[in-house]
């Protein structure tokens, strides 16, 4: 792992932050942060051009493993990215709001 990767807890994410969710489609549909951008980890190498450049982007997944990989990849490509420690699990544990795309009660899978 790259030792100079920036990491924050869910409580350190600014209210107006750009958030990149790298979980799979079914996880996103069940529950995600309103306003977040969805880009599954496996699509990052082909679609990284969709990620905002020259502004901080907070990368999140379920528990922190996939977002760490995405953060390392994107940082190497020149992006200003920050890994979110604990991912959506920590977000839910902190009782922060989530929305769903499937009409069901939002939840973290």
């Amino acid at each position: 792992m790259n030792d100079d990767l920036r990491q924050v807890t869910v409580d350190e994410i600014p209210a107006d932050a750009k958030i990149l969710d790298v979980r799979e489609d079914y996880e996103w549909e069940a529950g995600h942060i309103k306003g977040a951008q969805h880009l599954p980890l496996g699509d990052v190498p082909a679609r990284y051009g969709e990620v905002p450049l020259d502004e901080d982007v907070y990368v999140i997944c379920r528990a922190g493993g996939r977002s760490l990989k995405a953060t390392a990849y994107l940082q190497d490509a020149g992006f200003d990215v920050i890994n979110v420690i604990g991912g959506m699990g920590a977000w839910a544990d902190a009782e922060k709001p989530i929305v769903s795309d499937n009409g069901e009660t939002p939840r973290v899978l």
Side-chain angles (χ1 to χ4, degrees):
M1 182 184 98
N2 188 337
D3 288 335
D4 57 354
L5 286 179
R6 294 164 61 196
Q7 299 194 80
V8 297
T9 66
V10 295
D11 292 324
E12 295 174 299
I13 301 172
D16 61 347
K18 299 286 185 191
I19 297 175
L20 178 65
D21 189 323
V22 296
R23 296 176 301 148
E24 296 300 317
D25 290 340
Y26 73 93
E27 293 172 291
W28 168 267
E29 290 165 6
H32 59 271
I33 300 165
K34 185 175 183 177
Q37 178 181 1
H38 182 225
L39 183 58
L41 178 62
D43 293 350
V44 169
R47 295 175 53 198
Y48 69 88
E50 298 173 28
V51 177
L53 195 55
D54 298 328
E55 64 180 300
D56 286 346
V57 177
Y58 294 79
V59 185
I60 198 164
C61 65
R62 169 66 182 92
R66 288 174 284 178
S67 60
L68 195 60
K69 291 177 185 175
T71 299
Y73 180 87
L74 290 167
Q75 180 177 289
D76 287 348
F79 290 84
D80 297 321
V81 286
I82 302 109
N83 183 54
V84 178
I85 300 166
M88 288 298 294
W91 185 273
D93 288 346
E95 298 182 355
K96 294 184 177 287
I98 61 174
V99 297
S100 70
D101 284 350
N102 60 14
E104 297 177 10
T105 301
R107 59 195 174 111
V108 175
L109 298 179

